[in-house]
Amino acid sequence: MHTPDLSIVIPLDFHRRSWDLYRRVKGFVAAFAGQPVQLIFGCNAAPQFWVKCLQRLIAKHSNIQVCLVDAEASSLSKLRNTALAAVQTQYVLFLDVDIVPDWHLVELAYQHVFAQPKQIGMFPCLYLSKSGSKLISKTSAAEFKDHYYDFRRDLILHLAFPSSIVITDIASVHEIGGFDEQFVGHGYEDFDFMLRLFQHKGLIEYSADILVDEPYLAPLMSVGLRAVLAKPFLDSLIQPVYFLHKFHKKDKEEGYYKKRALNKALFINKYQKLKEEKPHFNQLSLLNSFFNEVIKEKNSPKHVVLWAELEGYKFRN
């Protein structure tokens, strides 16, 4: 295998979920210490107690570093950009601290991208339920993927695709100016970043579909923004690299999540010049592309979950 020339960038802000985030950072340090990859945390300089804990944790590991910046709470774009400034490898992988750290998956993802002429990849992410997250130490990523295809919605909340788990060359990231720091709090900074990156790479064209912001139940039934981002990477759905996202509680009244509405308005305003065009992604666009471009043999019952998802809450107490 080709030795990875790769840095992993993770934003950290201990203003919220401090102890939970620190435990998850410990998992990343344990998984990647000594591996041939650079692990870079972009971290808010406050609160100092947790920053010092982090610095002590990584002190012995030459391939792990923390880049500090005074930032507004939950300014994830600024934290990522701070970490990006320290990247010296050819490639960079974007993760968040709730992803299950798995060196084997990272290595497979890197080899997949290294073989691509466009030098970019986006990978599916399985969001685990509370019950599923309790099985992480006993269940491999491959087994969780099988559970997803078996409709085990007691263990898996949903499949995120598109996801913000992207590997690309660092040169392209610098050429588009990194993340837009106008986005603060939850949501849309990753959509904006991926749109600009994919367009720069010649993988998508801007269209009015970007302004159609609708959630999906099954990924191949998505439309609008999510369909635009997913289409160039449909082949990722049939390869073995599926990342896992640990469960954590969400308080929708928390300031971090309340900022999502502001971020959405900022996003729409940024791309509003596209309103004059007509969206062209219909409900079957991704499904047709999946069969025509990815699955040559259309007799593939295994993949039915990708377009016939079930509402998972009906399977959980």
Side-chain angles (χ1 to χ4, degrees):
M1 270 191 169
H2 179 82
T3 301
D5 185 13
L6 178 69
S7 295
I8 302 172
V9 162
I10 300 175
L12 275 182
D13 190 333
F14 288 111
H15 281 100
R16 49 187 299 274
R17 296 175 52 207
S18 303
W19 172 238
D20 189 29
L21 261 60
Y22 183 70
R23 287 188 303 170
R24 298 190 179 196
V25 169
K26 289 177 70 175
F28 270 95
V29 172
F32 291 101
Q35 298 292 0
V37 66
Q38 298 297 309
L39 184 61
I40 307 175
F41 295 103
C43 185
N44 205 324
Q48 292 187 1
F49 171 80
W50 291 106
V51 172
K52 290 179 180 178
C53 289
L54 173 62
Q55 290 172 325
R56 286 196 296 268
L57 178 66
I58 69 172
K60 298 179 181 179
H61 307 296
S62 60
N63 69 316
I64 304 176
Q65 63 178 303
V66 56
C67 299
L68 299 178
V69 62
D70 287 311
E72 184 178 350
S74 301
S75 181
L76 300 184
S77 291
K78 189 166 187 176
L79 298 179
R80 290 191 181 99
N81 285 341
T82 299
L84 284 168
V87 172
Q88 297 182 354
T89 54
Q90 183 177 357
Y91 294 91
V92 60
L93 165 63
F94 298 97
L95 295 179
D96 73 52
V97 74
D98 291 312
I99 300 300
V100 176
D102 189 323
W103 164 243
H104 177 63
L105 280 184
V106 168
E107 194 172 26
L108 287 177
Y110 175 83
Q111 300 300 336
H112 177 82
V113 170
F114 186 76
Q116 303 297 319
K118 293 284 188 179
Q119 295 187 305
I120 188 170
M122 178 180 71
F123 299 91
C125 183
L126 294 170
Y127 277 63
L128 305 183
S129 68
K130 188 175 183 179
S131 297
S133 294
K134 292 178 180 178
L135 299 178
I136 286 173
S137 63
K138 304 175 183 178
T139 309
S140 68
E143 289 172 316
F144 273 118
K145 179 185 175 184
D146 290 340
H147 289 326
Y148 170 71
Y149 278 88
D150 287 338
F151 291 91
R152 286 295 305 274
R153 295 305 163 263
D154 56 326
L155 303 179
I156 297 164
L157 299 176
H158 73 281
L159 172 68
F161 192 80
S163 82
S164 57
I165 300 177
V166 172
I167 296 182
T168 188
D169 59 298
I170 189 64
S172 293
V173 175
H174 290 320
E175 286 163 7
I176 66 167
F179 286 80
D180 186 341
E181 294 182 12
Q182 294 181 88
F183 295 96
V184 176
H186 184 252
Y188 291 91
E189 87 287 345
D190 50 353
F191 283 156
D192 171 69
F193 173 77
M194 289 190 290
L195 281 172
R196 292 184 288 112
L197 179 63
F198 297 174
Q199 193 270 345
H200 175 74
K201 286 286 198 178
L203 296 170
I204 65 171
E205 294 181 0
Y206 289 162
S207 71
D209 296 281
I210 290 168
L211 300 175
V212 179
D213 181 15
E214 296 181 7
Y216 59 82
L217 191 58
L220 291 183
M221 301 304 289
S222 62
V223 296
L225 170 63
R226 290 163 180 79
V228 170
L229 293 173
K231 187 174 181 182
F233 300 97
L234 289 176
D235 61 331
S236 291
L237 292 171
I238 62 169
Q239 51 76 51
V241 181
Y242 277 49
F243 285 87
L244 306 176
H245 185 284
K246 294 180 182 177
F247 176 83
H248 63 84
K249 292 182 179 179
K250 291 183 180 181
D251 179 3
K252 294 298 180 68
E253 296 304 310
E254 185 183 351
Y256 171 73
Y257 291 106
K258 281 188 171 182
K259 290 178 181 177
R260 184 174 180 84
L262 295 174
N263 284 343
K264 180 175 182 176
L266 173 62
F267 180 87
I268 294 298
N269 184 62
K270 188 170 184 177
Y271 294 95
Q272 66 178 343
K273 62 184 179 181
L274 300 171
K275 285 182 179 178
E276 299 174 1
E277 303 178 19
K278 292 183 178 181
H280 66 268
F281 267 97
N282 59 48
Q283 195 71 22
L284 295 179
S285 289
L286 283 192
L287 185 59
N288 289 338
S289 296
F290 183 73
F291 279 135
N292 294 334
E293 300 172 17
V294 181
I295 301 294
K296 305 305 180 186
E297 176 56 62
K298 297 186 180 183
N299 182 17
S300 302
K302 170 186 174 182
H303 296 98
V304 68
V305 67
L306 297 174
W307 64 85
E309 178 63 288
L310 300 176
E311 295 175 316
Y313 70 88
K314 294 181 179 178
F315 295 86
R316 294 186 291 275
N317 293 327

